Amino acid sequence: MEVKYELLVIGAGPAGITAALYAKRAGLNVAFMDGGVPGGKLVNTYEIENYPGVGLMNGADLASKMFMQVMDAGVPFEYGNVVDIIDHKEYKEVVLESGESMFVKVVLIATGTKERLLNIEGEAKYAGHGVSYCAVCDGAFFKDRQVTVIGGGNSALEEAMYLTQHAKNVRIVIRRDVFRADELVQKALSENEKISVVKKHVPVEIKGTDGKVSSIVLKHVETGELEELPTDAVFPYIGADASTSMCKHLDILDERGYILVNEKMETSIPGVYAAGDVCAKQLRQVVTAVSDGAIAAQNIFHYLKG
């Protein structure tokens, strides 16, 4: 067994990148790891307009700048998916999907969240063939077509607004009769003629023709009446769940699967920290993620140096 790093940051979103950068500047032997495209949810965000000092900016561009900054600082990037973390007290064993293990002194979990599925008939069948969880990635495929967005929060409405650049019409389906999104977002939505709203309905099935999405079946939440509406694509935005499957042997999660930390970003296990959206917290934004990452890195430095 050879301890490869003092600190391994798992997750290359804003929290993980910030932690890796701060740890490197503090002189720690640090690396960061991810099994996907670095940048986290920023990569799939069309516009960021509330990050101080940046103004209006494409999310993927901001993610690229963050990633290049930490790479320029000399922090190694390890590509891989973590499936388990084992606490050996003085060191931690990080088990990868490949079957390999990496041994480090401290682990910082910054794996964020993953999109929640509708779990209805046809969703899995037509995933990638009209069912998409990323409007920025796939919106251009539906130029001058009818698309449907599921959800009433900020993400759903913002992505619906983005889709109007490509689609002929954008239909939003919400369970309630009011949105959960911010007032500014709702105002912008109400002024867009391409957008229509179906209230008090939930999706129950996605249907297709010739291997592609062609319609969606909705159910009225009060009457139970079913209605089938034509659509060329379905974009679900109904929330997210914490990406914490690798913590199955660690007693650090709340009842919803988020990681419990204190103000130092410490979990109840010495040498195991967490930062960003994966933590049990009230506000999940880029600015809170980078704050968590910086706080975690500084406290990890003090922990390692005694």
Side-chain angles (χ1 to χ4, degrees):
M1 188 279 296
E2 177 187 355
V3 175
K4 190 171 184 180
Y5 299 109
E6 288 181 293
L7 167 63
L8 178 66
V9 179
I10 304 172
I17 286 175
T18 304
L21 182 62
Y22 270 66
K24 180 67 176 180
R25 290 175 60 86
L28 297 182
N29 178 20
V30 56
F32 66 130
M33 169 178 285
D34 206 304
V37 178
K41 280 189 166 53
L42 270 180
V43 176
N44 298 330
T45 303
Y46 174 53
E47 289 181 343
I48 298 288
E49 56 183 346
N50 59 355
Y51 192 74
V54 172
L56 186 64
M57 190 173 190
N58 176 264
D61 290 341
L62 180 57
S64 177
K65 286 180 177 292
M66 288 183 172
F67 181 69
M68 291 310 301
Q69 185 176 5
V70 74
M71 292 298 288
D72 289 343
V75 181
F77 178 69
E78 300 269 1
Y79 182 82
N81 289 309
V82 177
V83 296
D84 201 0
I85 300 170
I86 303 171
D87 178 29
H88 294 290
K89 304 301 181 184
E90 296 300 319
Y91 62 91
K92 317 303 173 191
E93 181 179 355
V94 179
V95 183
L96 305 180
E97 192 174 47
S98 63
E100 299 175 282
S101 285
M102 185 181 296
F103 301 95
V104 299
K105 288 185 178 180
V106 174
V107 168
L108 171 62
I109 305 166
T111 46
T113 59
K114 56 187 175 183
E115 290 76 13
R116 195 171 294 158
L117 302 180
L118 295 171
N119 290 316
I120 62 174
E121 186 175 349
E123 180 180 20
K125 180 178 180 180
Y126 295 108
H129 299 277
V131 175
S132 172
Y133 306 90
C134 177
V136 176
C137 308
D138 299 327
F141 293 122
F142 302 99
K143 185 173 179 61
D144 298 328
R145 310 293 286 276
Q146 168 74 58
V147 303
T148 301
V149 173
I150 312 296
N154 280 338
S155 294
L157 270 60
E158 288 167 357
E159 298 309 305
M161 292 288 291
Y162 169 76
L163 285 167
T164 60
Q165 297 185 84
H166 302 290
K168 181 180 180 180
N169 298 107
V170 178
R171 176 192 301 118
I172 300 177
V173 179
I174 58 174
R175 177 186 294 270
R176 302 191 299 171
D177 58 354
V178 294
F179 291 111
R180 294 180 287 108
D182 296 338
E183 289 295 329
L184 282 175
V185 180
Q186 292 189 47
K187 185 176 184 298
L189 186 91
S190 66
E191 296 171 351
N192 195 311
E193 296 180 352
K194 283 190 172 183
I195 295 177
S196 61
V197 182
V198 179
K199 300 178 179 179
K200 291 189 175 183
H201 280 75
V202 293
V204 294
E205 184 180 357
I206 297 170
K207 294 184 176 182
T209 304
D210 297 327
K212 297 180 180 179
V213 169
S214 59
S215 66
I216 185 168
V217 180
L218 306 177
K219 183 175 74 172
H220 196 285
V221 295
E222 294 177 352
T223 67
E225 183 180 354
L226 298 179
E227 182 179 8
E228 184 174 347
L229 299 175
T231 190
D232 297 297
V234 177
F235 291 85
Y237 286 96
I238 57 171
D241 297 310
S243 298
T244 52
S245 60
M246 76 292 294
C247 302
K248 55 191 173 187
H249 294 133
L250 305 176
D251 187 20
I252 58 174
L253 306 180
D254 69 4
E255 68 279 359
R256 296 188 302 142
Y258 288 88
I259 300 177
L260 295 165
V261 295
N262 61 16
E263 71 280 359
K264 295 181 178 180
M265 312 315 296
E266 298 170 324
T267 69
S268 58
I269 300 174
V272 178
Y273 292 72
D277 289 2
V278 76
C279 298
K281 59 195 297 188
Q282 183 178 11
L283 184 63
R284 293 182 173 87
Q285 294 283 292
V286 179
V287 70
T288 61
V290 298
S291 172
D292 287 355
I295 292 169
Q298 288 300 295
N299 285 294
I300 290 169
F301 169 79
H302 292 299
Y303 170 80
L304 284 168
K305 301 306 178 183

